[in-house]
Amino acid sequence: MTDNTRKKPAFCLVCGARLGREWIEDRERDVCPECRWVHYDNPLPCAAALVRNAAGEVLLVKRGVEPGLGLWGLPSGFMEIDETPEQACLRELKEETGLEGRILKLMGVYAQDSVRYKKVVIIGYAVNAEGIPRPGSDTTETRYFPQHRLPEIAFSSHRAMIKDGFDGAGK
């Protein structure tokens, strides 16, 4: 797959007929000519945790996987089918840092283009977490950073959320 593309279904997921293209709801979409099922190419939901320590520094993880391998980001990941966004946020925090957390508030909802999935929607939360973070799944390092010494952040949505956190939205 190349940037901003992913394989779309060629056949209807309901009846198996080959999909065609039609204008539906002011967009060209993949539509089944037999049963009229429409393939909506929706963004994938993700959750991210903004954790700050007593000094006001933000917790970042160094990514051990693509996209953004070797760059820093917030503890984050895709929401599972049986989770709420809050549960996904706390699960990802624990998986990537070993920390248990408590949601303080919704930071915001951010969208960005993705190499693999076209578009993702990131639901960001300010989270209280105590303890010593340790690298977990998909991460190679964890560290707190002050606002004036942030490393290169992998994702635009994380940069926006961190900015909101330092601007007071996460306190």
Side-chain angles (χ1 to χ4, degrees), residues 97-122:
T97 70
L99 297 177
E100 298 276 348
R102 181 176 58 82
I103 302 284
L104 297 174
K105 67 183 260 183
L106 175 68
M107 289 286 303
V109 178
Y110 308 83
Q112 74 174 58
D113 291 336
S114 169
V115 172
R116 288 189 187 139
Y117 304 105
K118 253 189 185 175
K119 179 93 54 189
V120 293
V121 172
I122 297 88

Side-chain angles (χ1 to χ4, degrees), residues 77-112:
F78 292 108
M79 197 171 111
E80 300 286 345
I81 194 70
D82 61 344
E83 293 178 314
T84 65
E86 295 87 353
Q87 290 168 329
C89 177
L90 296 177
R91 176 184 50 78
E92 288 292 341
L93 175 67
K94 183 163 181 139
E95 286 178 2
E96 295 184 0
T97 70
L99 297 177
E100 298 276 348
R102 181 176 58 82
I103 302 284
L104 297 174
K105 67 183 260 183
L106 175 68
M107 289 286 303
V109 178
Y110 308 83
Q112 74 174 58

Side-chain angles (χ1 to χ4, degrees), residues 26-79:
D26 296 326
R27 288 179 192 241
E28 191 174 22
R29 302 182 192 273
D30 295 318
V31 179
C32 178
E34 300 298 321
C35 73
R36 306 303 301 155
W37 176 79
V38 179
H39 175 251
Y40 291 96
D41 203 12
N42 297 326
L44 292 174
C46 299
L50 183 89
V51 177
R52 295 182 58 191
N53 64 14
E57 300 166 317
V58 66
L59 177 64
L60 298 177
V61 297
K62 187 179 260 188
R63 296 189 49 81
V65 296
E66 291 291 356
L69 176 67
L71 299 177
W72 294 85
L74 296 168
S76 62
F78 292 108
M79 197 171 111

Side-chain angles (χ1 to χ4, degrees), residues 18-29:
R18 181 171 288 282
L19 295 176
R21 298 286 286 173
E22 292 183 30
W23 281 90
I24 303 241
E25 300 165 347
D26 296 326
R27 288 179 192 241
E28 191 174 22
R29 302 182 192 273

